[in-house]
Amino acid sequence: MNDSAMARSWVEHANGHRDFPLQNLPLGIFSRQSQAPRCGVAIGDAILDLQRVLELGLFDGLARTAVEATRGGALNAFFALGTAARVALRERLLELLGEPGEHRGELQAALYPASECQMHLPAKVGDYTDFYVGIEHAKNVGKLFRPDNPLLPNYKHVPIAYHGRASTLRPSGTEVRRPKGQTLPAGHTAPTFGPCARLDYELELGIWIGQGNEMGQAIAIDEAAGHVAGYCLLNDWSARDIQAWEYQPLGPFLSKSFITSLSPWVVTAEALAPFRCAQPPRPEGDPQPLAYLFDAQDQASGALDIELEVLLLTPRMAQQGLAPARLTSSNSRSMYFTVAQMVTHHSVNGCQLQPGDLFGSGTLSGAESGSFGSLLEITEGGKHPVQLPSGETRTFLEDGDEVILRARCMRPGVASIGFGECRGRVVAAN
Ligand code: CA
């Protein structure tokens, strides 16, 4: 086995790669030329075609079972196999792609430049639930509406979420059509209908559910981490004006369901293991989690240390040859509940989770300016425009604007890994 923290790959461009060194090995679904979509693993700037490697006879046992489960162009059946199959596949890929590369001659034919491939959603998502566990975002947004009492009384007890729309999940790169809907313009007493005027992004982590549970059987907190297959970036595009008018009393509806963008690579729970950390202690005076949400191990190592960022590229910036401007830099440690707590809470009433279900974390903002994960927070509801290097300003997104989410994990003595990108460019309403 070749799982040491700084092991090298014979795929030279993988070594020191910003996102996809040997230690990451994220899984995704890609197609090339006229091939049907199939499972691949990102290694440097290339994609290894696992179907092809299977045909070469280079997988045995559980690793072989894992790759066979990806036939059909979706990872649901692979996710359903759970942790042991994922680990077996990872260990075999570390052998195949690590130095010295006993099979490199054969494997060269199964490696394609990523730039020649198209990425798809990694799984067929049955259900998508968007949480709200980024406490700084909840406070920042709450302050806009309730300056003295930003968090509602349930926030520190219940992992808040709403059921999102699985049908409009799309991979990075899909254009974002400005939605139309009902809004109540300031000073008006009756709504109008038209294109959204306050289009926003939300910087979130996506969480892929692995093995599910039977309906009626809750997932215990000490088993919850074993039900998570991996992670991606998620942009919960939000129409703030539509949202403000529709959200009471049942929460977001059409303001969130026009598109949700995902980065296409599933960064596995195993790849993220070196970047686990303790859940930050709750401030003095905050309630402790109820017993069904408390596990000492989860508190000790159930949080994630992932650096997150949002960049914006306007058409004028692109024309002037300017690089995308960073609007946000934050970290996933701002989650008030762990992912295990989210899984347990979601199933505690007997709700069934299924392989390939997707959770959003909620917007991951920090407490300081520069770390806010949405324009709503950055501009304080549109009051303070953002200055861009082109001399332009923005309160909310304009047609042609491209939003890019990135994420990276870093720790001394361990190879850094990244998530790739989650991009989307806004196009005019129909
Ligand atoms: Ca959200």
Side-chain angles (χ1 to χ4, degrees):
M1 213 182 100
N2 193 4
D3 200 6
S4 77
M6 298 306 285
R8 291 173 60 84
S9 173
W10 55 265
V11 181
E12 274 304 325
H13 49 80
N15 299 313
H17 192 272
R18 177 193 162 83
D19 289 319
F20 307 130
L22 180 65
Q23 286 74 10
N24 194 344
L25 302 175
L27 299 162
I29 298 293
F30 75 99
S31 58
R32 180 170 163 266
Q33 296 158 357
S34 55
Q35 281 177 345
R38 49 176 62 197
C39 180
V41 62
I43 179 80
D45 296 321
I47 296 176
L48 182 70
D49 178 345
L50 296 193
Q51 199 59 46
R52 191 91 182 258
V53 181
L54 184 69
E55 288 157 14
L56 292 168
L58 294 173
F59 291 122
D60 287 319
L62 206 44
R64 183 186 173 93
T65 307
V67 176
E68 285 172 347
T70 68
R71 282 183 176 147
L75 297 181
N76 301 68
F78 165 71
F79 287 164
L81 294 172
T83 305
R86 224 171 41 240
V87 168
L89 176 58
R90 178 178 173 82
E91 288 183 357
R92 182 58 177 150
L93 288 170
L94 286 166
E95 286 171 0
L96 291 174
L97 291 169
E99 287 180 334
E102 192 190 334
H103 296 285
R104 63 191 287 179
E106 296 154 272
L107 289 170
Q108 291 284 7
L111 270 181
Y112 315 132
S115 58
E116 290 177 7
C117 302
Q118 188 192 347
M119 297 305 299
H120 304 271
L121 285 184
K124 187 159 172 43
V125 181
D127 280 296
Y128 158 49
T129 303
D130 196 18
F131 281 83
Y132 197 59
V133 306
I135 188 168
E136 300 303 335
H137 171 75
K139 282 191 212 164
N140 294 337
V141 172
K143 256 182 234 162
L144 295 175
F145 298 100
R146 299 174 298 276
D148 300 329
N149 184 26
L151 290 180
L152 291 167
N154 58 3
Y155 186 86
K156 292 180 175 175
H157 300 275
V158 185
I160 301 292
Y162 69 94
H163 285 289
R165 185 79 192 165
S167 64
T168 30
L169 295 166
R170 288 293 182 276
S172 173
T174 307
E175 67 181 25
V176 177
R177 176 79 53 191
R178 181 178 297 276
K180 291 193 282 196
Q182 271 198 37
T183 62
L184 186 69
H188 289 234
T189 52
T192 58
F193 177 82
C196 163
R198 290 161 72 95
L199 183 60
D200 200 357
Y201 61 82
E202 289 191 343
L203 168 62
E204 305 196 19
L205 275 182
I207 297 140
W208 289 102
I209 296 298
Q211 277 180 322
N213 59 310
E214 291 302 319
M215 182 172 159
Q217 301 286 314
I219 298 170
I221 183 71
D222 60 351
E223 292 174 0
H227 289 261
V228 176
Y231 296 80
C232 64
L233 284 163
L234 183 153
N235 188 339
D236 179 24
W237 301 94
S238 298
R240 299 300 182 195
D241 43 2
I242 298 172
Q243 186 180 358
W245 173 232
E246 74 173 4
Y247 85 102
Q248 288 178 314
L250 287 184
F253 177 32
L254 302 180
S255 56
K256 301 274 192 175
S257 60
F258 52 99
I259 184 172
T260 305
S261 302
L262 301 176
S263 60
W265 293 107
V266 179
V267 178
T268 63
E270 290 68 40
L272 285 170
F275 309 102
R276 291 261 165 208
C277 59
Q279 178 67 357
R282 292 186 168 195
E284 187 88 11
D286 277 15
Q288 287 308 300
L290 290 176
Y292 79 96
L293 291 176
F294 185 87
D295 175 64
Q297 180 69 38
D298 181 46
Q299 292 296 311
S301 61
L304 290 162
D305 185 0
I306 305 171
E307 298 287 340
L308 304 156
E309 59 179 4
V310 181
L311 301 111
L312 176 68
L313 183 67
T314 69
R316 191 189 298 175
M317 289 167 68
Q319 209 174 38
Q320 294 178 353
L322 296 169
R326 187 160 70 195
L327 299 184
T328 307
S329 176
S330 73
N331 189 286
S332 57
R333 283 173 304 177
S334 64
M335 291 165 64
Y336 194 75
F337 292 95
T338 66
V339 170
Q341 288 175 318
M342 292 154 66
V343 169
T344 291
H345 184 69
H346 204 313
S347 69
V348 76
N349 65 343
C351 174
Q352 185 177 33
L353 303 180
Q354 303 187 94
D357 279 0
L358 179 73
F359 293 178
S361 58
T363 308
L364 297 176
S365 297
E368 308 298 327
S369 105
S371 67
F372 298 161
S374 67
L375 284 169
L376 181 70
E377 294 161 82
I378 293 173
T379 67
E380 281 188 62
K383 284 192 295 231
H384 306 294
V386 183
Q387 298 287 333
L388 298 172
S390 53
E392 298 169 282
T393 62
R394 285 291 183 276
T395 47
F396 291 97
L397 297 169
E398 296 187 7
D399 294 344
D401 286 356
E402 186 169 30
V403 176
I404 305 153
L405 312 186
R406 289 186 190 147
R408 200 154 187 231
C409 303
M410 286 166 280
R411 215 190 84 194
V414 177
S416 296
I417 63 170
F419 280 60
E421 290 182 336
C422 180
R423 279 178 182 258
R425 200 169 64 84
V426 177
V427 298
N430 277 326

